[in-house]
Amino acid sequence: MTMRDVARKAGVSPKTVSNVMNGYPYIREETRTKVLAAIDALGYRMNLSARNLKSGRTGVIGLAVPELSLPYFGELADQVIMAADEHGLTVMIEQTGADRDRELTVLARPRGHLVDGLLYSPLGLGQEDIDHLKANTPMVLLGERIFHSPVDHVMIDNVAGTKAAVEHLLALGRRRIAVLGVHPGEKVGTAAIRYGAYAEALTAHGLPVPEELAFPAGRWHRSTGAEATERLLASGLKFDALLGLNDTLALGALRVLAQRGIRVPDDVAVAGFDNIDEASYSTPSLTTVDPGRTEIAKKAVDLLVRRMAGDDSDHEEIAARYELHARESTLGVH
Amino acid sequence: MTMRDVARKAGVSPKTVSNVMNGYPYIREETRTKVLAAIDALGYRMNLSARNLKSGRTGVIGLAVPELSLPYFGELADQVIMAADEHGLTVMIEQTGADRDRELTVLARPRGHLVDGLLYSPLGLGQEDIDHLKANTPMVLLGERIFHSPVDHVMIDNVAGTKAAVEHLLALGRRRIAVLGVHPGEKVGTAAIRYGAYAEALTAHGLPVPEELAFPAGRWHRSTGAEATERLLASGLKFDALLGLNDTLALGALRVLAQRGIRVPDDVAVAGFDNIDEASYSTPSLTTVDPGRTEIAKKAVDLLVRRMAGDDSDHEEIAARYELHARESTLGVH
DNA sequence: GCGATCTTCTACACCGATGTAGTACACCGA
DNA sequence: TCGGTGTACTACATCGGTGTAGAAGATCGC
């Protein structure tokens, strides 16, 4: 079942069928309907591999994320797929597992030419990997700003968002804010940026930065958040607030605090980052920063589509609008 | 950068390069290393579209799920991607939004020959759509058993799993078990199967089925679970247990119950289905049925790979092992 | 009335792999 | 010694579309 069959049935050349399918303008209405009727009658579907081989286009974009099982990335992927759909594009998802080697592999081999462009949400890459980003494939980075990279970014406003959360805690009178999920030694990742913003917010208010209250967690899962919270409690250090560098960490913390009978927010106020759906439904509901997932997905896809269409103007850096959602984990129940 | 370039550099024919890359056995070790060296030196990557055009294989399988933002499907996709990876396959995800038309579209047009096979998790399809399943592409259905369909299935053991949950509640002395998430009128979907199993479990214990305690929810989100729970509470009906037909519904219910000051499990025991990660970390943690996600993903991919390799034996129906995880939402805190 | 331009369509080579067929040599048994 | 089999490789057509070039008729300006 090929284009030739359709052409034969419609009594035109294969190229005319191709032209009809691709919206070439100079076609008589009569011819167009004949061709469309033939396509319909035969149930013809174009072989995208063949088209891609000749023309480059596949209509597929890649989305590389660390882990789909993390709600943030699941929800992001959902949005990206819907945004891509509006451009008639399909999304191929690649899981990197936040592993640097796998992240580089994705870059080096964008699925054997099967994707026209790449949306890329790196976790493990650093300044030293910038060279790898000078890809042949159009690419838009999501989430993180890798310092001084010559690539398009659609960024979470990590700094302003984190500061808003910290200032919210400070405004509630909290002074000893523990942090979950830092990555010691890391310079450019999300962890470093958010922790840096936390420190800045404290400093701006004339407060010292209590480094002993920063607890590492490599992967940002509920389980690692719970473990870090247990280490925090075991340390015996006093704290009256807890900032999870993302929501799953904070939710893991909520669990442990509840188990230990520590009241939230009375004893400890808790805040997170991401505003995943779960944050509205936990008990207590979680105060968090909405990074504008929908906007990020939409803008990133739009930008990528422009790049794929050949736009080679200077690279852009777009920051999405964040929004602080103050909920029970800091405000209490009304 | 094509195979011809590699061939020239290695001093062999393009076909020999192809043979090396595809593991053809009759190649001298010396030749193989020459070719591999050339591939490495040039950073060559095969054009999958070209290969697909000639050979059919793309190394891509499709995964059609309702919504990635639902934790169950995010976690399932994660597992499928990892299982596919072990076979050297990439996964292309299609979101159907549980919309019947979109589900049929996916079937009718498996991405323009771009996928070698399809894993398919239908929600909206029914008995009347069976004809559409007689696809040309190898396909394995996930999760649901569409009645009398001639297609491979890797099933959640919905009936046994749900019964286990209900029996657990009964064993705790609960007798008025409300159900969230039923789909009135539906005959073959997950909702119907799980609700049917619930009813059977009650009947088997000589108990009547309290139909007034079945509350509908079209989509199985936290928000719809919360709404259904509010309707349940507004009804004034007495109940001492609550079964969410999946975890997100149950988690939405937990939220509303907590807000209303209804104690779980003292006043109402709550159970769900899916064992998403979140169920271990909610407060209280959620009793739920683990449908064996990892096993489902692995078996489904294995089966699909066999079908893609040409195995045309009779269609199989594999049920994964479920496991009941009894947690605080039914047992209380120890 | 004639070249120029626009509209509509077609012929054909070609994208980059691979299946098929076939060559050439080595080795083996009778 | 010769046919048969196994090993190692190559030439070439081909998969199904699309870019390019160009043909043929219609329309237009002057």
Side-chain angles (χ1 to χ4, degrees), chain A residues 158-159 162-163 166 179 182 186-187 189-204 209 243 245:
Chain A
N158 282 305
V159 172
T162 306
K163 282 185 181 172
V166 173
V179 178
V182 299
E186 201 179 275
K187 291 271 186 285
T190 315
I193 295 171
R194 292 186 188 166
Y195 184 71
Y198 154 87
E200 271 184 55
L202 291 182
T203 308
V209 179
L243 176 68
L245 291 187

Side-chain angles (χ1 to χ4, degrees), chain B residues 67 73 182:
Chain B
E67 286 180 78
F73 292 110
V182 299

Side-chain angles (χ1 to χ4, degrees), chain A residues 2-214:
Chain A
T2 81
M3 207 168 241
R4 213 181 316 279
D5 300 317
V6 176
R8 188 153 29 224
K9 175 139 185 131
V12 297
S13 77
K15 180 70 222 227
T16 299
V17 177
S18 169
N19 285 339
V20 168
M21 297 195 80
N22 289 291
Y24 180 74
Y26 294 135
I27 295 182
R28 260 186 304 157
E29 201 44 45
E30 182 200 333
T31 311
R32 187 192 310 281
T33 46
K34 253 193 327 192
V35 170
L36 290 176
I39 288 173
D40 216 50
L42 297 173
Y44 168 74
R45 284 164 295 125
M46 187 158 62
N47 184 325
L48 290 185
S49 288
R51 169 209 267 181
N52 175 234
L53 179 57
K54 180 65 183 171
S55 72
R57 293 171 288 141
T58 46
V60 178
I61 61 175
L63 171 66
V65 293
E67 285 179 79
L68 275 183
S69 55
L70 289 177
Y72 176 75
F73 292 109
E75 295 178 16
L76 178 67
D78 183 325
Q79 300 288 335
V80 166
I81 289 174
M82 296 204 318
D85 208 57
E86 294 191 357
H87 292 272
L89 297 168
T90 313
V91 176
M92 198 143 126
I93 295 178
E94 195 97 27
Q95 278 199 134
T96 58
D99 179 69
R100 186 163 166 276
D101 287 343
R102 288 194 55 126
E103 293 197 329
L104 289 176
T105 305
V106 171
L107 278 186
R109 184 168 46 83
R111 275 302 148 191
H113 311 237
L114 274 188
V115 299
D116 295 343
L118 190 60
L119 295 178
Y120 190 56
S121 182
L123 275 190
L125 296 188
Q127 181 72 27
E128 70 274 20
D129 297 309
I130 283 188
D131 285 348
H132 297 284
L133 292 177
K134 288 166 189 155
N136 25 15
T137 321
M139 181 163 65
V140 175
L141 290 183
L142 291 180
E144 255 19 273
R145 169 149 158 60
I146 293 188
F147 211 63
H148 287 135
S149 68
V151 190
D152 290 315
H153 279 74
V154 177
M155 297 176 287
I156 294 173
D157 199 338
N158 282 305
V159 172
T162 306
K163 282 185 181 172
V166 173
E167 271 152 23
H168 171 67
L169 294 169
L170 293 174
L172 293 167
R174 313 290 169 150
R175 284 299 174 270
R176 302 264 308 157
I177 307 175
V179 178
L180 299 186
V182 299
H183 291 171
E186 201 179 275
K187 291 271 186 285
V188 294
T190 315
I193 295 171
R194 292 186 188 166
Y195 184 71
Y198 154 87
E200 271 184 55
L202 291 182
T203 308
H205 283 253
L207 296 167
V209 179
E211 292 184 15
E212 72 282 6
L213 286 181

Side-chain angles (χ1 to χ4, degrees), chain A residues 174 240 262-270 328-333:
Chain A
R174 313 290 169 150
D240 53 14
I262 298 169
R263 291 168 307 160
V264 175
D266 310 56
D267 301 326
V268 173
V270 176
E328 294 164 3
S329 68
T330 55
L331 299 180
V333 182

Side-chain angles (χ1 to χ4, degrees), chain B residues 22-73:
Chain B
N22 289 291
Y24 180 75
Y26 295 138
I27 295 182
R28 259 186 304 158
E29 200 46 42
E30 183 199 333
T31 312
R32 188 192 310 280
T33 46
K34 254 194 324 192
V35 170
L36 291 177
I39 288 173
D40 215 51
L42 298 174
Y44 168 74
R45 284 164 296 124
M46 187 160 60
N47 184 325
L48 291 185
S49 288
R51 168 209 267 181
N52 175 233
L53 179 56
K54 181 64 184 169
S55 72
R57 293 170 290 143
T58 45
V60 178
I61 61 175
L63 171 66
V65 294
E67 286 180 78
L68 276 182
S69 55
L70 289 177
Y72 176 74
F73 292 110

Side-chain angles (χ1 to χ4, degrees), chain B:
Chain B
M1 178 60 51
T2 81
M3 208 168 241
R4 212 183 316 279
D5 300 317
V6 176
R8 188 153 31 224
K9 174 138 187 135
V12 296
S13 76
K15 180 70 221 229
T16 298
V17 177
S18 169
N19 286 339
V20 168
M21 297 195 81
N22 289 291
Y24 180 75
Y26 295 138
I27 295 182
R28 259 186 304 158
E29 200 46 42
E30 183 199 333
T31 312
R32 188 192 310 280
T33 46
K34 254 194 324 192
V35 170
L36 291 177
I39 288 173
D40 215 51
L42 298 174
Y44 168 74
R45 284 164 296 124
M46 187 160 60
N47 184 325
L48 291 185
S49 288
R51 168 209 267 181
N52 175 233
L53 179 56
K54 181 64 184 169
S55 72
R57 293 170 290 143
T58 45
V60 178
I61 61 175
L63 171 66
V65 294
E67 286 180 78
L68 276 182
S69 55
L70 289 177
Y72 176 74
F73 292 110
E75 294 178 17
L76 178 67
D78 184 324
Q79 300 289 335
V80 167
I81 289 174
M82 298 204 319
D85 207 57
E86 294 191 356
H87 292 272
L89 297 168
T90 313
V91 176
M92 198 142 128
I93 295 178
E94 195 98 27
Q95 279 198 132
T96 57
D99 179 69
R100 186 162 167 275
D101 287 343
R102 288 195 55 126
E103 293 196 330
L104 289 176
T105 306
V106 171
L107 279 185
R109 184 168 46 83
R111 276 303 148 188
H113 310 237
L114 275 187
V115 299
D116 295 343
L118 191 60
L119 295 177
Y120 190 56
S121 182
L123 274 191
L125 297 189
Q127 181 71 28
E128 70 276 19
D129 297 309
I130 283 188
D131 284 349
H132 297 284
L133 292 176
K134 288 168 189 154
N136 24 15
T137 322
M139 180 163 66
V140 174
L141 290 183
L142 291 180
E144 257 17 277
R145 169 149 158 62
I146 293 188
F147 212 64
H148 288 135
S149 68
V151 190
D152 290 315
H153 280 73
V154 178
M155 297 176 287
I156 294 175
D157 199 340
N158 282 305
V159 172
T162 307
K163 282 185 181 171
V166 173
E167 271 153 23
H168 171 67
L169 293 169
L170 293 174
L172 293 168
R174 312 290 168 152
R175 285 299 176 270
R176 303 262 310 155
I177 307 174
V179 179
L180 300 186
V182 299
H183 290 172
E186 202 179 274
K187 290 273 186 287
V188 294
T190 316
I193 296 171
R194 292 188 188 163
Y195 184 71
Y198 154 87
E200 271 183 54
L202 290 183
T203 308
H205 282 254
L207 296 167
V209 179
E211 291 184 17
E212 73 281 6
L213 287 180
F215 282 77
R219 296 195 162 197
W220 287 358
H221 293 204
R222 294 175 192 82
S223 61
T224 53
E227 285 158 20
T229 306
E230 269 157 9
R231 290 201 306 277
L232 167 58
L233 293 173
S235 75
L237 293 164
K238 285 204 178 129
F239 64 104
D240 53 15
L242 206 162
L243 175 68
L245 291 187
N246 84 345
D247 281 352
T248 38
L249 290 167
L251 289 161
L254 280 186
R255 167 75 197 156
V256 171
L257 295 173
Q259 256 175 331
R260 296 284 194 283
I262 297 170
R263 292 167 305 160
V264 175
D266 309 56
D267 301 327
V268 173
V270 176
F273 201 115
D274 281 350
N275 193 29
I276 60 177
D277 189 52
E278 185 180 347
S280 309
Y281 289 91
S282 61
T283 304
S285 57
L286 180 67
T287 291
T288 185
V289 177
D290 185 338
R293 229 186 340 273
T294 309
E295 187 190 350
I296 289 173
K298 193 168 160 28
K299 292 216 165 131
V301 171
D302 288 349
L303 184 50
L304 185 61
V305 165
R306 268 177 35 213
R307 294 298 180 195
M308 295 189 315
D311 176 353
D312 58 351
S313 52
D314 268 6
H315 78 278
E316 293 188 23
E317 301 200 349
I318 302 172
R321 270 187 304 277
Y322 71 91
E323 197 176 341
L324 178 72
H325 290 265
R327 301 204 182 99
E328 294 165 3
S329 68
T330 55
L331 299 180
V333 182
H334 306 292

